[in-house]
């Protein structure tokens, strides 16, 4: 059987030395569990990377519903949008319009949220060019911007950068092929009280103590005027400015991102699980600065306002399982990055899922994920 | 007292096309540079003077900007070089274009040069070049990063300077990396400048006679007042093919600071904070070796506010690039009125703006005196002396040359040795 399991076995990396003083929820039996089982292939449309991958997908892929229509964004240097009656019946992708300047730069839409009035809000991962090396995109230092659309994401208004690292916090001698610094590779979700959007992002800054998965938040009330309104979690409070501020990672790097032997969680993808009544984050786990994927992990928290409430990440898929699940991709394309749970029921998305959903990596799914309540036994 | 108020005007001045006049001025500003007890008369005679005379219009090919109805835009210094009997010119507007021909008056065949896959989609200006003995063309560009302060916006930006090399006279370029940049944290997104939150750019470089160093004269828009103005940096000639990390900036009397992220002590410091509405400073130096004077000559813009409104164009002299204190105090060679006269391109007749056919179009407006002004031209930016004899360029000029602003010239410039009278 194509087994892939992850019953909260606790396997995976030991906790980083710089873990927060408060122990994370980890007691066996008090946390949800999950298992993966084989399912028919679903391939998101993605972008045509000629001669390389006709369905290139290079980030989280956010989705939303408008009436009976399901919309999905895939990104690789620029976002495209597809739509259809459900995830299994999506049409041809169209490039979206990000704005005059942004359309010639490299941006990824990594999260969206549909407001009650029909406005679609989104957040983009932007990678500046020439950060360290002239005439070269890489290494870069990403920033996170906030955008708004009135046509379900075909065209976007840019509302400015909401999260960014100190521009001097870069290491151009990094061993990373991609990131000399910056903050990106994220997802955003609105809390149940509609008070805050919570950003869970990857921090590649110069300072080792600030590398890992960070969290920041922006008031829902500030969604149309977000500049200077996002705050990063730092030393137990949302006290640091979103742009240029310091952060305390909720999952700190174990080894420096900029060294060859980097050990870091990155690329969080969050959803609200209606069956568990808790938030679930999937995480990549890189074991070197080239982001070689050691495994994919899950963590749970029922209260977004408590960044210390996230459970110890538990591996749901190891390297071998990843390679099996993404078979068919070119070897050099099979990174196993961007794990994402997407609910398949009407109204469900990357942000909302019930007991069963689809488990994606790089926009490809051959696995179904089933969530189990604490103590619940596998079928 | 502002330095330019001490300039002595010794002749009538008019650049009206209908009236040929002459401008001569003497620079008495070397007192600070030569505090060795010379008499005032001796100092007066110690510096060259210049005469500006009306001359037939010369319009560089420039860059077409259809969305602004501009056909000859030139938005920086415009470097030139010779290869055999062919003169090559680079004009820029967010990207460089090259034209060529037998001389400055017969340039054509303009095309967009290839800066590299990544650079071609960014905003880059080639502001200086130098042709090596083996035929290699070296250059330096002003790069303006996008979204420094605002998402989906090019400006405010914070420029940097990169070094490039070409083996085909600048049709295609190989990027050798950034060599001069400010501290990336040194930006002021609350600036009143419409363009620059920080950074270093708007420059020219030149090789010294001993072929030891390329000297860069650029503009620092640093948020720190004490680092604003015209700065100097240098790169050893021997490092021209591997320049990364090799440039040193002039700081506190020595070449002590790294080209990237290092501090500067401006050669000509700002007079008022650039980032405030009334910011005042010299910027955008253009340098050449004057074979008649046997001196280095630098032209400078002088901004009287943070929008870089030009209140005059200035000149400074030096015999030795290695001596920072050798530069004479900048003296005005063209006032704001002179700039406007020299860049007037037509007249208003019966409410219609009449301009010469095929010369320039776009961004026109009627001035109060019945003339027609093209806003881009009338800025007076990017003053440049270009020698017109065979072998002469923006880097080399003799007794006479052409005086350009924004790629257009209606003035000839004549250099006079100390004490020499105008013709």
């Amino acid at each position: 059987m194509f087994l892939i399991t992850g019953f909260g076995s606790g396997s995976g990396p030991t906790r980083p030395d710089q873990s927060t003083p408060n122990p994370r929820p980890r007691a066996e039996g008090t946390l949800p569990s999950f298992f993966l089982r084989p399912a028919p292939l679903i391939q998101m449309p993605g972008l045509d990377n000629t001669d390389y991958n006709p369905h290139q997908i290079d980030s989280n892929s956010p989705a939303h519903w408008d009436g009976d229509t399901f919309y999905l964004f895939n990104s690789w240097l620029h976002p495209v949008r597809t739509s259809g009656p459900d995830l299994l019946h999506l049409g041809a992708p169209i490039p979206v319009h990000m704005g005059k300047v942004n359309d010639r730069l490299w941006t990824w839409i990594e999260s969206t949220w549909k407001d009650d009035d029909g406005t679609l809000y989104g957040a983009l991962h932007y990678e500046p060019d020439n950060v360290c090396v002239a005439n070269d995109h890489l290494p870069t230092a990403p920033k996170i911007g906030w955008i708004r659309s009135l046509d379900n994401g075909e065209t976007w208004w840019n509302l400015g950068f909401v999260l960014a690292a100190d521009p001097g916090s870069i290491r151009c001698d990094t061993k990373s092929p991609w990131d000399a610094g910056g903050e990106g590779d994220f997802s955003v979700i609105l809390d149940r009280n509609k008070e805050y959007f919570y950003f869970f992002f990857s921090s590649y800054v110069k300072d080792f103590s600030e590398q890992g998965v960070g969290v920041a938040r922006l008031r829902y009330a500030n969604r149309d005027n977000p500049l200077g309104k996002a705050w990063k979690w730092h030393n137990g409070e949302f006290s640091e400015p979103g742009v240029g501020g310091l952060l305390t990672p909720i999952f700190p790097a174990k080894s420096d991102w900029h060294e060859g032997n980097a050990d870091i969680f990155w690329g969080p993808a969050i959803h609200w699980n209606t069956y568990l009544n808790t938030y679930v984050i999937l995480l990549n786990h890189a074991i070197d600065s080239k982001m070689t994927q050691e495994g994919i992990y899950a963590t749970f928290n029922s209260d977004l306002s408590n960044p210390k409430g996230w459970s110890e990440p538990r591996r749901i898929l190891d390297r071998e399982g990843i390679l099996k699940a993404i078979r068919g991709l070119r070897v050099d394309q099979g990174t196993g990055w961007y794990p994402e749970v997407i609910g398949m029921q009407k109204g469900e998305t990357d942000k909302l899922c019930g007991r069963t959903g689809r488990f994606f990596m790089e926009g490809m799914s051959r696995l179904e994920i089933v969530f189990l309540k604490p103590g619940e036994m596998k079928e | 007292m502002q330095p330019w108020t001490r300039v002595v005007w010794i002749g009538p001045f008019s650049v009206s096309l209908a009236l040929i006049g002459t401008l001569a001025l003497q620079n008495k500003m070397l007192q600070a540079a030569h505090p060795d007890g010379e008499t005032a008369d001796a100092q007066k005679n110690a510096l060259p003077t210049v005469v500006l005379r009306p001359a037939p219009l010369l319009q560089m090919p420039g860059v077409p900007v259809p969305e602004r109805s501009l056909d000859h835009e030139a938005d920086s210094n415009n470097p030139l070089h010779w290869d055999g009997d062919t003169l090559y010119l680079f004009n820029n507007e967010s990207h460089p274009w090259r034209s060529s021909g037998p001389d400055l008056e017969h340039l054509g065949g303009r095309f967009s040069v290839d800066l590299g896959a990544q650079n071609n989609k960014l905003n880059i200006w080639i502001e200086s070049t130098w042709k090596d003995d083996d035929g290699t063309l070296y250059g330096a560009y002003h790069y303006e990063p996008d979204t420094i302060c605002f998402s989906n916006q090019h400006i405010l930006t914070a420029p940097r300077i990169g070094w490039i090399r070409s083996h085909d006279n600048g049709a295609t370029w190989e990027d050798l990396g950034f060599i001069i940049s400010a501290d990336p944290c040194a930006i002021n997104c609350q600036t009143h400048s419409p363009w620059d939150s920080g950074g270093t750019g708007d420059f020219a470089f030149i090789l010294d006679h001993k072929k030891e160093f390329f000297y860069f004269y650029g503009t620092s828009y640093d948020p720190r007042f004490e680092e604003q103005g015209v700065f100097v940096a240098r790169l050893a000639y021997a490092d021209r093919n591997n320049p990364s990390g090799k440039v040193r900036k002039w700081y506190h009397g020595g070449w002590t600071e790294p080209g990237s992220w290092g501090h500067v002590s401006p050669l000509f410091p700002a007079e008022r904070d650039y980032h405030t509405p009334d910011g005042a400073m010299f910027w955008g130096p253009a340098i050449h070796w004057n074979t008649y004077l046997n001196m280095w000559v630098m032209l400078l813009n002088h901004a009287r506010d943070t929008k870089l409104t030009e209140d005059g164009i200035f000149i400074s002299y030096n015999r030795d690039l290695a001596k920072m204190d050798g530069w004479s105090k900048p003296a005005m060679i063209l006032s704001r009125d002179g700039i406007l006269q020299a860049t007037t391109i037509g007249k208003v007749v019966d409410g219609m703006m009449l301009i010469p056919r095929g010369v320039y179009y776009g961004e026109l407006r009627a001035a109060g005196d019945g003339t027609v002004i093209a806003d881009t031209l009338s800025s007076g930016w990017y003053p440049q002396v270009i020698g017109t004899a065979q072998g002469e360029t923006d880097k080399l000029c003799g007794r006479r040359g052409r005086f350009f602003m924004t790629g257009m010239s209606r003035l000839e410039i004549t250099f006079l040795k100390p004490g020499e009278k105008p013709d």
Side-chain angles (χ1 to χ4, degrees), chain B residues 91-415:
Chain B
N91 295 131
N92 300 271
E93 209 294 320
S94 302
H95 189 86
W97 287 51
R98 195 192 77 178
S99 54
S100 58
D103 55 45
L104 190 57
E105 296 183 30
H106 300 90
L107 294 171
R110 68 183 179 183
F111 66 92
S112 174
V113 309
D114 182 1
L115 289 169
Q118 190 68 26
N119 280 349
N120 284 342
K121 70 168 188 160
L122 304 175
N123 292 290
I124 285 176
W125 290 249
I126 295 178
E127 300 193 341
S128 215
T129 57
W130 186 78
K131 182 84 168 170
D132 206 355
D133 297 337
D134 68 357
T136 305
L137 184 65
Y138 293 89
Y141 64 78
H142 165 113
Y143 161 57
E144 294 187 356
D146 298 293
T147 68
I148 288 287
C149 286
F150 306 114
S151 182
N152 194 34
Q153 297 284 335
H154 172 61
I155 51 179
L156 302 164
T157 187
R160 290 186 247 167
I161 297 172
W163 185 249
I164 46 181
R165 180 175 63 189
S166 173
H167 297 293
D168 55 10
N169 283 309
T172 60
W173 292 89
E174 180 184 358
D175 200 313
L176 301 183
F178 293 117
I179 53 171
I180 301 176
S181 62
D183 181 341
C185 298
I187 58 172
N188 175 8
C189 291
Q190 309 297 317
T191 181
H192 288 269
S193 163
W195 300 286
D196 300 295
S197 63
T200 50
D202 295 321
F203 67 95
F205 76 79
I206 203 155
L207 182 63
D208 66 20
H209 289 311
K210 295 176 183 172
K211 296 182 77 168
E212 287 184 327
F213 292 99
F214 293 103
Y215 284 83
F216 292 76
Y217 300 87
T219 314
S220 168
Y221 304 107
D222 201 287
R224 294 160 293 196
F225 176 61
E226 66 273 17
E227 298 206 23
Q228 296 170 9
V230 174
F231 73 93
V232 191
R234 70 183 192 182
L235 168 70
Y237 173 77
D239 292 326
R240 65 195 182 283
N241 289 310
N242 187 21
S244 280
K246 307 289 178 54
V247 170
R248 310 298 292 183
K249 291 174 176 167
W250 179 258
Y251 182 64
H252 285 177
W255 304 101
T256 56
E257 283 287 303
S260 295
W261 299 27
H263 293 279
V264 296
S265 291
L267 171 64
F268 299 121
E271 298 126 56
R272 297 189 296 268
D273 187 345
Y274 169 72
H275 296 285
T276 60
D278 67 344
M281 64 184 221
F282 291 109
W283 69 280
I287 188 170
H288 79 271
W289 170 251
N290 194 282
T291 53
Y292 181 69
L293 301 175
N294 273 322
M295 294 186 89
W296 303 98
V297 178
M298 185 190 296
L299 296 195
L300 295 154
N301 300 275
H302 186 263
R304 67 183 182 198
D305 61 32
T306 192
K307 293 181 180 176
L308 298 179
T309 300
E310 192 95 312
D311 66 0
I313 291 168
F314 288 69
I315 199 163
S316 178
Y317 304 95
N318 192 357
R319 293 192 183 282
D320 185 352
L321 293 177
K323 292 184 177 175
M324 289 304 103
D325 60 359
W327 286 101
S328 63
K329 202 158 188 175
M332 186 190 289
I333 61 169
L334 198 59
S335 67
R336 179 75 194 152
D337 284 345
I339 291 169
L340 291 176
Q341 286 185 61
T343 55
T344 295
I345 65 165
K347 57 186 178 181
V348 179
V349 176
D350 296 333
M352 296 179 63
M353 293 191 291
L354 303 181
I355 61 171
R357 181 184 298 277
V359 170
Y360 193 92
Y361 59 95
E363 299 183 355
L364 301 174
R365 64 184 169 85
D369 61 358
T371 60
V372 175
I373 294 290
D375 279 337
T376 308
L377 289 178
S378 64
S379 68
W381 294 347
Y382 317 124
Q384 220 177 352
V385 170
I386 298 181
T388 54
Q390 169 97 10
E392 293 185 337
T393 63
D394 62 315
K395 293 167 272 292
L396 193 70
C397 185
R399 187 166 185 265
R400 284 202 177 86
R402 273 304 194 108
F403 174 82
F404 281 84
M405 294 177 288
T406 59
M408 185 181 83
S409 170
R410 277 210 180 95
L411 295 172
E412 183 184 71
I413 187 166
T414 303
F415 293 92

Side-chain angles (χ1 to χ4, degrees), chain A residues 209-226:
Chain A
S209 68
E210 295 191 38
Q211 297 169 6
V213 176
V215 58
R217 68 184 189 183
L218 169 71
R219 277 194 182 278
Y220 173 77
N222 292 326
R223 66 195 181 284
D224 289 310
N225 186 21

